[in-house]
């Protein structure tokens, strides 16, 4: 019941308009980072899944990646490129945290959900890591 009420609160009160006080909290080990949300239907779908803990694996020395349990809306700005610090929804069903820019083209497409403010280097430290994503008011 608590989860249902929390989800309803997010949908009715918080999600319709993004503000600077609404952040994505990212925790891996003892490290906590924060990211600024983008405003899209895809991001709103992602927020409905939070809190979310993923076991993320390294992909090509540029990103940590994990599949997710459900498809998100594809009503966002679809790109085939990324920037260092992007947290993106991969249109074939996963979440990617980009920590290194190598000009790789992502043909399936990406929708940026959030942008990490600082500390992205933590994602370079191991091949796999557990990452917790949470919605917070800051």
């Amino acid at each position: 019941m608590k989860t249902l009420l929390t989800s309803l609160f997010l949908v009715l009160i918080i999600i319709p308009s993004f503000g600077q006080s609404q952040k994505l909290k990212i925790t891996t080990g003892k490290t906590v980072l924060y990211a600024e949300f983008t405003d899209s239907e895809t991001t709103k779908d992602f927020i409905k899944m939070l809190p979310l803990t993923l076991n993320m694996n390294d992909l090509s020395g540029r990103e940590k990646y994990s599949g997710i349990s459900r498809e998100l809306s594809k009503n966002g700005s679809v790109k085939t490129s990324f920037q260092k610090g992007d947290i993106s929804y991969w249109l074939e069903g996963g979440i990617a945290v980009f920590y290194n820019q190598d000009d790789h083209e992502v043909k399936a497409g990406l929708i940026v959900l959030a942008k990490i403010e600082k500390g992205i280097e933590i994602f370079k430290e191991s091949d796999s890591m557990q990452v917790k994503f949470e919605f917070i008011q800051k």
Side-chain angles (χ1 to χ4, degrees), residues 29-68:
K30 294 181 182 181
T31 303
V32 177
L33 307 173
Y34 296 94
E36 193 79 35
F37 285 111
T38 62
D39 189 1
S40 72
E41 291 302 314
T42 310
T43 302
K44 291 174 187 175
D45 270 0
F46 178 65
I47 289 171
K48 291 175 193 175
M49 295 180 71
L50 303 178
L52 177 66
T53 300
L54 298 173
N55 292 315
M56 304 191 85
N57 295 303
D58 198 73
L59 185 59
S60 302
R62 72 172 166 266
E63 68 188 87
K64 290 295 188 277
Y65 173 82
S66 179
I68 55 175

Side-chain angles (χ1 to χ4, degrees), residues 116-130:
I116 294 177
E117 297 166 351
K118 60 183 173 178
I120 192 69
E121 298 77 23
I122 191 72
F123 288 94
K124 295 179 182 180
E125 293 184 6
S126 67
D127 287 340
S128 63
M129 56 180 40
Q130 190 173 71

Side-chain angles (χ1 to χ4, degrees), residues 78-90:
V78 178
K79 300 178 179 190
T80 58
S81 62
F82 57 88
Q83 298 291 319
K84 183 177 174 181
D86 286 351
I87 299 172
S88 299
Y89 175 59
W90 178 56

